[in-house]
Amino acid sequence: MTPVAKRIQILIMAFLAAVTLSGCLRITADDLYSLPQASEQYLRLQNQINSILSQGAEFAAPTGGLNRQSVQFRDLNGDGVNEVVAFFSVLGDSTLKIYIFSMVDGDYTVAEVIEGVGTAFESVRYADMDGDGIVEIIVGWQMGAALKHMTIHSIRDYHSVLLAERHYTEITVFDMHGNGNDSVVIVRLPSQEIGAVAEIFTLMPDGEVVSEEARLSTGIETISRVLTGRLFDGVPALFVDSIGMFDDGGLVTDICVYRDGVFSNVSLVGFTGISEETVRTRINSSDVNRDGIVKVPMPRRLRAQSETPYYAIDWYAYNSLGHSSLMLTTYHNNSDEWFLILPFNWRGRVSVRREDVISGERTVIFSYIAGDDGPYEDFLKIYKITGEKREERARMGDRKMLLSDGAAVYAFEILITPNSYGLTFSEPLIRENFRLIHSEWLTGTS
């Protein structure tokens, strides 16, 4: 068997395993004692794919997004039967093809081919944009090193109709209207003709696609992250974190919502053309405490006992009118990969310092500030412990073990009577408020 044939068989067998586990196939007792074998219909599908490859094509899996397989199984028309969507490039030119195979009389046959031009498939997404049970296919075509082109295709009755197309920088699919139907949202960096914009595409009941644009901050140079989620009044929103030349920091967040029939940037106020309230150093927006509300971080320097700067992060949520509210404050220890949600009554009364004097232990100490210039009273230590016997060291003395991530153990120690000085701290609170950092919360990641 050739390497290409083996790869196809692996893809098909993986699919068979998936549908078997989901209960889509009927398995007899005899089947349980036999080696897994592809059914005749999937072997014939494999032959069809081999035929395409033998004509000068090769697999061309999408390079980005969640759907990165060369052969994908997706129910496109809502009948409960998966179609097969396969991605190919044609050797020797820039032609890209998407083959859609449908089930007819028990066999997969070619139902439609979507053809385009580019160097690669940047991404593919599937969305029911109008709630009719039929999935639209959103394809990102890589046209060059910095140029990407988006097309939206209706596949009703396995006939591809191009609904919309645009150049884009970033793309996402999200229910911006809050009605259960997904919209396509793209973000474009500024050009010589127009500034940076976000654009939403909505499929209407009559099959027409309507698009609307919202202007983003002036001065954007790079898109850092595009995030979808909800505001604190429950409205769906698009959050665009961008890097540029801004007075108070290198990053700005634009917040776009669809409200009262208009798609707009609610964080863009005043005459500067910049969402000024969200300008900061380079920390991305996030649903940091996993409550469903996306928040914008604003670093705040803590009072310290040394020249080394330490920062808390105040996380602000916005409503659909663009008004912000402080939701929580955290201390992030990026080097040790943990953070702590700080009670509100610590604000202005607590400082932080590091103490790394013991090999294999990295310690952060929280101190109560008694007056404008001190004195400082240590009340909490949080440890990251590596090396041998780390779990034993995490329980040494008055230490309490928090958790282990395999390579390291995290622990804490309360140094004075809990809830002293009018500060809220206790063992249950520390356990509840301690979290490990996910990579997307660090700067410059998505």
Side-chain angles (χ1 to χ4, degrees):
M1 183 179 291
T2 67
V4 170
K6 288 182 179 178
R7 184 179 176 187
I8 297 170
Q9 191 166 38
I10 289 171
L11 288 168
I12 294 173
M13 292 303 294
F15 168 73
L16 285 173
V19 296
T20 299
L21 290 174
S22 67
C24 297
L25 294 179
R26 300 183 66 179
I27 304 298
T28 68
D30 290 338
D31 291 329
L32 297 176
Y33 294 96
S34 64
L35 292 174
Q37 295 180 357
S39 67
E40 285 296 324
Q41 61 186 224
Y42 291 110
L43 291 175
R44 286 193 285 270
L45 171 62
Q46 178 179 329
N47 289 335
Q48 292 194 59
I49 292 176
N50 273 334
S51 177
I52 296 169
L53 295 171
S54 67
Q55 296 172 27
E58 62 180 4
F59 284 121
T63 60
L66 296 177
N67 303 304
R68 299 193 185 191
Q69 303 81 14
S70 299
V71 179
Q72 302 176 18
F73 295 86
R74 180 71 61 150
D75 182 4
L76 299 178
N77 57 8
D79 64 355
V81 178
N82 281 316
E83 281 68 41
V84 177
V85 186
F87 299 83
F88 300 93
S89 61
V90 177
L91 296 176
D93 62 29
S94 56
T95 301
L96 299 171
K97 293 184 178 182
I98 303 173
Y99 279 77
I100 300 174
F101 299 86
S102 66
M103 183 74 75
V104 177
D105 297 329
D107 277 332
Y108 279 106
T109 61
V110 176
E112 180 61 299
V113 179
I114 300 172
E115 187 171 320
V117 175
T119 60
F121 291 106
E122 189 275 329
S123 62
V124 62
R125 292 168 172 83
Y126 307 93
D128 183 357
M129 296 178 63
D130 58 358
D132 65 352
I134 298 175
V135 172
E136 283 67 48
I137 301 179
I138 302 96
V139 185
W141 310 81
Q142 191 74 51
M143 310 298 291
L147 181 61
K148 294 181 284 190
H149 192 71
M150 179 272 297
T151 57
I152 304 174
H153 301 265
S154 169
I155 312 295
R156 184 180 297 276
D157 298 324
Y158 301 118
H159 177 62
S160 174
V161 175
L162 179 63
L163 299 178
E165 58 182 327
R166 288 288 193 280
H167 291 316
Y168 70 96
T169 304
E170 299 290 340
I171 185 171
T172 190
V173 172
F174 184 62
D175 180 9
M176 288 292 302
H177 299 273
N179 62 1
N181 298 334
D182 284 328
S183 297
V184 177
V185 187
I186 64 172
V187 176
R188 289 194 301 273
L189 285 173
S191 64
Q192 293 181 348
E193 295 79 21
I194 190 172
V197 298
E199 186 173 7
I200 181 175
F201 297 84
T202 304
L203 182 57
M204 308 304 290
D206 62 1
E208 179 186 3
V209 169
V210 175
S211 68
E212 299 177 69
E213 291 185 354
R215 183 165 58 94
L216 303 180
S217 291
T218 302
I220 288 174
E221 298 174 345
T222 304
I223 305 299
S224 175
R225 188 184 193 194
V226 174
L227 186 66
T228 55
R230 294 192 175 273
L231 305 174
F232 73 76
D233 57 0
V235 175
L238 175 79
F239 298 78
V240 182
D241 289 345
S242 306
I243 298 171
M245 300 298 293
F246 304 112
D247 291 340
D248 299 322
L251 189 143
V252 66
T253 297
D254 290 293
I255 304 171
C256 300
V257 304
Y258 190 91
R259 185 174 61 87
D260 297 333
V262 178
F263 184 57
S264 63
N265 184 347
V266 297
S267 59
L268 196 65
V269 295
F271 302 98
T272 64
I274 299 172
S275 295
E276 290 185 321
E277 188 175 306
T278 69
V279 173
R280 60 194 183 277
T281 54
R282 297 183 183 184
I283 304 173
N284 282 324
S285 302
S286 172
D287 178 7
V288 64
N289 62 337
R290 305 298 195 194
D291 65 355
I293 300 171
V294 176
K295 303 160 195 72
V296 177
M298 299 300 293
R300 171 173 51 85
R301 186 166 179 171
L302 295 170
R303 295 166 64 184
Q305 304 175 51
S306 66
E307 295 299 320
T308 302
Y310 294 94
Y311 294 85
I313 301 175
D314 292 327
W315 296 87
Y316 289 86
Y318 284 75
N319 67 10
S320 55
L321 297 176
H323 301 149
S324 63
S325 179
L326 177 62
M327 301 297 284
L328 73 156
T329 298
T330 61
Y331 170 75
H332 273 61
N333 183 343
N334 290 332
S335 60
D336 291 345
E337 301 174 303
W338 61 263
F339 74 98
L340 186 71
I341 299 174
L342 308 182
F344 283 115
N345 61 16
W346 291 23
R347 192 178 185 87
R349 307 171 67 195
V350 169
S351 72
V352 174
R353 74 179 190 276
R354 291 198 66 96
E355 186 179 86
D356 300 333
V357 297
I358 300 176
S359 177
E361 292 187 10
R362 297 169 63 89
T363 309
V364 169
I365 303 172
F366 293 85
S367 305
Y368 166 70
I369 308 170
D372 290 341
D373 299 317
Y376 294 81
E377 179 74 27
D378 299 342
F379 68 92
L380 174 66
K381 289 184 178 182
I382 295 181
Y383 304 89
K384 181 179 182 179
I385 305 171
T386 58
E388 297 181 354
K389 299 183 178 180
R390 49 187 176 269
E391 292 197 9
E392 293 179 19
R393 289 154 55 201
R395 296 184 175 92
M396 184 175 61
D398 292 329
R399 297 179 183 181
K400 308 289 185 182
M401 181 172 164
L402 281 163
L403 55 85
S404 172
D405 67 359
V409 171
Y410 298 86
F412 71 99
E413 182 180 0
I414 293 177
L415 306 176
I416 61 177
T417 303
N419 301 324
S420 298
Y421 306 119
L423 300 180
T424 302
F425 64 97
S426 62
E427 180 176 338
L429 183 138
I430 302 304
R431 292 189 182 279
E432 180 182 356
N433 287 9
F434 180 86
R435 314 285 171 82
L436 294 183
I437 291 176
H438 294 269
S439 61
E440 68 265 23
W441 298 334
L442 304 180
T443 59
T445 60
S446 61

